[in-house]
C-alpha cells in the first residue's frame, strides 16, 4: 500500500521509498536535506490545520509543507 508522508499522524514512522517530481529545485532541495530513499522518518508534530509537518529524519528536525510531504512516498 503506497502512502505519502502527508498521511502519517503524530508519532508514526515510515521508510522513504521514493521522492516524486521531476529533477526540479524542490526535489533537489528535499534530497539535499536528507530526504532520500531508505531513510526512516518520524512525524514529531503536525500543525492544527495540518500545515506544516515537523519530522525527524537522519537525526535532525525538518519542517515540511503539506505540498512537499505529498511528494514523499513511504511504506
Amino acid at each position: 500500500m503506497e502512502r505519502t508522508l502527508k498521511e502519517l499522524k503524530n508519532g508514526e514512522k515510515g521508510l522513504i521509498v521514493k521522492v516524486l517530481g521531476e529533477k526540479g529545485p524542490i526535489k533537489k532541495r528535499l534530497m539535499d536535506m536528507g530526504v532520500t530513499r531508505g531513510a526512516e522518518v518520524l512525524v514529531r508534530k503536525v500543525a492544527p490545520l495540518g500545515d506544516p509537518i515537523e519530522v525527524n529524519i537522519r537525526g535532525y528536525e525538518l519542517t515540511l509543507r503539506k505540498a512537499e510531504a505529498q511528494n514523499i512516498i513511504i511504506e
Side-chain angles (χ1 to χ4, degrees):
M1 183 173 137
E2 207 171 77
R3 299 190 315 169
T4 64
L5 179 58
K6 177 182 148 186
E7 297 170 32
L8 290 182
K9 308 279 186 245
N10 281 347
E12 289 186 325
K13 288 183 181 181
L15 193 65
I16 297 175
V17 176
K18 74 177 158 180
V19 179
L20 300 176
E22 299 173 15
K23 293 189 176 189
I26 294 174
K27 184 174 181 179
K28 181 172 178 5
R29 185 173 74 86
L30 288 172
M31 295 184 83
D32 287 346
M33 291 187 292
V35 180
T36 57
R37 185 174 19 160
E40 185 177 76
V41 61
L42 167 69
V43 176
R44 303 286 286 180
K45 298 177 194 169
V46 178
L49 297 176
D51 198 17
I53 301 167
E54 185 177 306
V55 298
N56 183 296
I57 185 167
R58 298 189 187 273
Y60 71 95
E61 305 297 320
L62 177 64
T63 303
L64 299 169
R65 296 224 164 261
K66 282 195 299 189
E68 295 168 333
Q70 191 165 353
N71 290 327
I72 301 169
I73 305 298
I74 56 151
E75 61 178 17

